[in-house]
Amino acid sequence: MSVSTIQLIKKGEGLNIEFKRTIDSSFKIAKTIVSFANTSGGVLLVGVGDSGEIIGVDSELTELQKLERACRELSEPPISLGFRSLVLDGKNILRIEVEESLEKPHVAINEKNHHTVYIRVKDKSVPTPKLLVQVSENVDLQKILNTRHVKTLIQFLRENDTVTVKSYAKMINISDKRAERMLNDLAEKQILLKISLGKAGLFSLKLRNN
C-alpha cells in the first residue's frame, strides 16, 4: 500500500488525487469529498503538502472526526469513505478513498446552510453554478450551440445547477427518449458533463478552459 501511495504522491494532485497538510474544517473538506463522489472517485492524502512533501498529521483522531462530520452531516446524501493510516518517512499520514457514487449527485452544505453540487475538474472541486460552456473553434460545434433547443438548455443551466432528461424533454416539448439522445450527444461533444449514472440522466455544463 505504501508503494502505491508513494506513486500517487509522485504523480501529484489531479482529477482523482488531492493533498491536504491538515483538514482545516469539515465544511471545506466536504466539498472535496462530494466532488470526488460526483465525478469518478478519488484519493485524499492528509498530512501531505501541495508539492508532495510528507508532513504528517499530529492527531489522526482529530482529522478523522472532521472527515466523519463532512461525509455524514455535511454531504447529502451521506458518503461512505475508506481510510488507511500509513507511515511514510517516519510520519503518519491518512489515505482517504472516495468511490464514484451510485447515488450522485451529492451536495455539500456550507456554513450558511447553502447546498451546492461540486464536481471535480482537473485538480479543483468546482461548484456547478460556476460551470460554463466550453466554446470551441469548431464550426460544426458553433452551429450546435446556436440552435434554439441548445440555446434554451444553456440558458437554463446558467441559472440552475443541473438538468434531467425528463425536465429537458418537458422544457422543449419532445419525448424523453429524444431528449436523452440529445443530452448524451452534447455530453460526447464536451458541451455537457453527465454526472448521473442512472437511466434518468443528470447533466451540467462543462467548465470553460479560459
Side-chain angles (χ1 to χ4, degrees):
M1 181 60 67
S2 294
V3 173
S4 176
T5 302
I6 290 172
Q7 289 174 346
L8 288 178
I9 292 172
K10 288 181 178 179
K11 184 178 180 181
E13 292 184 302
L15 180 68
N16 305 106
I17 307 169
E18 181 154 328
F19 304 153
K20 291 289 184 186
R21 301 172 72 93
T22 186
I23 297 174
D24 295 329
S25 77
S26 296
F27 291 105
K28 289 182 180 179
I29 206 63
K31 297 177 183 178
T32 302
I33 294 170
V34 163
S35 70
F36 279 147
N38 282 338
T39 312
S40 53
V43 176
L44 172 67
L45 297 178
V46 184
V48 178
D50 291 342
S51 301
E53 64 273 27
I54 308 298
I55 297 168
V57 295
D58 294 330
S59 169
E60 291 183 6
L61 179 60
T62 299
E63 305 294 337
L64 289 173
Q65 286 174 335
K66 292 176 183 177
L67 283 165
E68 177 72 14
R69 186 185 179 206
C71 65
R72 295 300 177 193
E73 300 178 22
L74 304 177
S75 303
E76 290 185 358
I79 296 170
S80 297
L81 303 177
F83 74 90
R84 294 176 184 271
S85 176
L86 305 170
V87 178
L88 296 178
D89 294 344
K91 299 174 182 177
N92 293 328
I93 70 166
L94 291 173
R95 174 174 172 147
I96 313 300
E97 300 190 2
V98 184
E99 297 290 337
E100 178 178 0
S101 177
L102 295 174
E103 296 182 278
K104 63 184 181 181
H106 295 264
V107 299
I109 305 170
N110 68 11
E111 296 89 339
K112 297 180 179 180
N113 201 35
H114 292 162
H115 293 55
T116 306
V117 174
Y118 286 84
I119 63 169
R120 196 75 177 170
V121 178
K122 297 184 178 178
D123 61 346
K124 304 294 183 184
S125 298
V126 180
T128 55
K130 293 186 179 179
L131 293 180
L132 301 171
V133 173
Q134 180 181 10
V135 179
S136 169
E137 297 292 330
N138 186 288
V139 175
D140 291 335
L141 187 54
Q142 290 290 350
K143 288 181 180 179
I144 293 171
L145 291 172
N146 287 328
T147 60
R148 181 169 58 86
H149 289 343
V150 174
K151 276 183 163 182
T152 299
L153 174 63
I154 290 172
Q155 182 59 41
F156 177 83
L157 285 173
R158 286 187 186 279
E159 299 171 359
N160 299 272
D161 290 352
T162 56
V163 66
T164 64
V165 169
K166 285 188 176 296
S167 62
Y168 185 50
K170 185 176 180 180
M171 188 189 310
I172 60 175
N173 195 28
I174 60 175
S175 69
D176 288 1
K177 191 170 183 178
R178 185 181 173 198
E180 183 177 17
R181 284 200 306 267
M182 291 176 66
L183 291 172
N184 281 323
D185 184 56
L186 291 172
E188 288 177 5
K189 290 180 169 60
Q190 300 298 304
I191 295 172
L192 298 182
L193 179 70
K194 188 171 185 179
I195 59 174
S196 173
L197 298 178
K199 288 185 178 180
L202 189 68
F203 298 80
S204 68
L205 288 174
K206 290 280 284 186
L207 182 70
R208 188 171 58 192
N209 289 331
N210 51 21

